[in-house]
């Protein structure tokens, strides 16, 4: 990939904007809950020219939180303040006040919160927690899931019906779980902007075993590939780490606004330090084999 030698960012080749593929209609919804439609934020043009993404109303509704965070100089202090705010705002330690009544499902519902979803994704992105997160991406960004324990392209197929069922059950009787994810994403973007004030992309890597699970739209003359990713994906910031997950290594310049969560965001939540959970769409990537 051609890059500026000083910034490391991709260079625009002549007339690129005239031929960049858009997001196929089958991969997007006509509406979402953020400031850009899915056809734009899921396109290759957005990968090359990203702008901030904002979920409707979150910054304004939680403005006091972000004003408070601005007064803390260190990341650990801000992370602790954020977690405290989530606990109080969503009554995570006072579930009776949140409306959770005693019953058979009380324990399971008590654990249905944003830390549990993030940990569940890290353990198995094709599990129930993964289904909830992918459904959240569909709702907020309008990008349809392409894979969950199997291809989801057949809307009448068993895999798609199972995906809908798991996502629905994962949200049932929870305490504003999608709103928790809205604020988690917004806080992630706040921290990335502070850590990388002069950058628009991160160079990330994804190790895979089977290329047929990824939709390659086009192979370019320079050997790069234009790939339609699932609506939520795991990447790593270390190529050596990606080697452990497959025989193919996908290298991409990921726009900062497409990072939903990364392990260092909330210290102590996850064991690893290099995983990034990335919102999908069309990306131009370099594919290498081991």
């Amino acid at each position: 990939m051609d890059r500026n030698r000083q910034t490391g960012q991709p260079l625009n080749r002549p007339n690129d904007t005239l031929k960049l593929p858009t997001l196929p209609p089958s991969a997007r919804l006509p509406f979402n809950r953020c400031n850009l439609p899915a056809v734009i934020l899921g396109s290759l043009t957005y990968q090359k020219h990203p702008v901030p993404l904002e979920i409707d109303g979150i910054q304004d509704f939680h403005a006091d939180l972000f004003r408070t965070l601005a007064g803390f100089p260190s990341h650990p202090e801000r992370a602790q303040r954020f977690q405290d705010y989530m606990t109080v705002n969503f009554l995570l330690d006072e579930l009776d006040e949140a409306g959770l009544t005693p019953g058979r499902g009380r324990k399971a519902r008590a654990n249905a919160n944003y830390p549990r979803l993030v940990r569940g994704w890290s353990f198995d992105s094709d599990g129930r927690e993964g289904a909830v997160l992918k459904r959240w991406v569909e709702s907020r960004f309008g990008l349809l899931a392409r894979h969950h324990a199997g291809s989801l392209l057949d809307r009448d197929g068993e895999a798609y019906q199972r995906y809908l069922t798991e996502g629905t059950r994962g949200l049932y009787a929870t305490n504003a779980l999608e709103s928790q994810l809205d604020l988690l994403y917004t806080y992630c973007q706040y921290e990335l902007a502070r850590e990388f004030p002069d950058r628009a992309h991160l160079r990330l890597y994804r190790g895979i075993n089977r290329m047929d699970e990824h939709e390659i739209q086009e192979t370019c003359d320079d050997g790069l590939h234009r790939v339609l990713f699932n609506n939520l994906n795991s990447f790593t910031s270390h190529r050596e780490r990606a080697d452990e997950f497959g025989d193919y290594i996908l290298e991409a310049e990921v726009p900062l606004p497409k990072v939903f969560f990364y392990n260092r965001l909330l210290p102590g939540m996850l064991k690893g330090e290099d995983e990034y959970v990335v919102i999908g769409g069309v990306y131009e990537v370099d594919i290498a084999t081991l």
Side-chain angles (χ1 to χ4, degrees):
M1 183 180 294
D2 297 332
R3 298 184 176 90
N4 184 298
R5 293 183 179 180
Q6 293 181 338
T7 66
Q9 301 305 315
L11 293 174
N12 295 325
R13 292 183 292 274
N15 299 321
D16 261 359
T17 56
L18 299 178
K19 60 182 180 180
L20 299 184
T22 187
L23 187 68
S26 62
R28 65 181 191 257
L29 293 171
F31 50 84
N32 60 21
R33 293 183 58 183
C34 73
N35 58 317
L36 287 180
V39 67
I40 294 177
L41 68 89
S43 70
L44 189 57
T45 300
Y46 184 85
Q47 184 200 11
K48 292 178 176 292
H49 308 286
V51 296
L53 297 176
E54 296 182 9
I55 298 175
D56 294 344
I58 300 302
Q59 284 276 7
D60 292 337
F61 190 78
H62 299 282
D64 288 344
L65 167 64
F66 293 100
R67 280 194 293 267
T68 300
L69 293 177
F72 290 92
S74 73
H75 172 70
E77 290 178 300
R78 294 192 299 272
Q80 186 59 59
R81 178 63 180 175
F82 170 78
Q83 290 172 295
D84 292 344
Y85 181 89
M86 294 289 280
T87 298
V88 172
N89 190 71
F90 293 102
L91 302 173
L92 299 183
D93 289 340
E94 300 174 359
L95 297 175
D96 291 335
E97 292 189 23
L100 183 64
T101 57
R104 293 178 58 189
R106 180 182 177 88
K107 182 177 180 180
R109 294 302 87 200
N111 290 328
N113 51 43
Y114 76 99
R116 178 64 177 265
L117 285 184
V118 171
R119 293 189 186 105
W121 170 274
S122 183
F123 179 74
D124 180 12
S125 62
D126 284 331
R128 178 176 294 185
E129 292 84 357
V132 172
L133 290 173
K134 292 169 188 173
R135 291 288 301 274
W136 173 79
V137 173
E138 291 183 344
S139 169
R140 272 43 181 179
F141 301 101
L143 302 178
L144 292 171
R146 313 290 289 173
H147 189 278
H148 184 79
S151 173
L152 301 181
L153 301 187
D154 179 6
R155 291 298 190 261
D156 296 320
E158 180 180 346
Y160 185 72
Q161 298 306 313
R162 183 171 58 251
Y163 164 68
L164 292 180
T165 300
E166 288 186 347
T168 301
R169 287 178 176 173
L171 284 174
Y172 175 72
T174 58
N175 183 16
L177 189 52
E178 289 183 306
S179 295
Q180 294 179 41
L181 298 177
D182 293 343
L183 192 48
L184 178 63
Y185 169 77
T186 305
Y187 172 63
C188 176
Q189 291 302 304
Y190 173 84
E191 285 295 333
L192 286 173
R194 291 192 65 151
E195 183 175 357
F196 305 107
D198 300 319
R199 296 182 63 176
H201 299 80
L202 293 176
R203 187 176 304 172
L204 300 178
Y205 307 88
R206 177 172 170 83
I208 61 173
N209 280 315
R210 298 179 55 184
M211 283 303 305
D212 58 0
E213 291 183 353
H214 287 70
E215 301 173 61
I216 299 179
Q217 292 189 314
E218 182 182 356
T219 299
C220 307
D221 293 339
D222 55 10
L224 297 178
H225 303 268
R226 290 170 177 176
V227 178
L228 174 56
F229 278 95
N230 203 4
N231 70 345
L232 201 62
N233 313 267
S234 287
F235 280 76
T236 176
S237 56
H238 298 297
R239 193 187 190 285
E240 303 78 33
R241 180 65 173 163
D243 291 346
E244 301 174 10
F245 291 90
D247 297 327
Y248 298 91
I249 306 299
L250 281 58
E251 175 186 345
E253 297 289 340
V254 174
L256 290 179
K258 282 201 168 182
V259 177
F260 163 55
F261 181 85
Y262 59 103
N263 284 21
R264 292 182 293 104
L265 182 64
L266 297 175
M269 180 177 289
L270 298 175
K271 294 181 179 179
E273 296 183 353
D274 56 4
E275 181 179 2
Y276 287 75
V277 183
V278 172
I279 297 165
V282 180
Y283 285 79
E284 191 170 80
V285 304
D286 186 19
I287 300 177
T289 56
L290 298 181

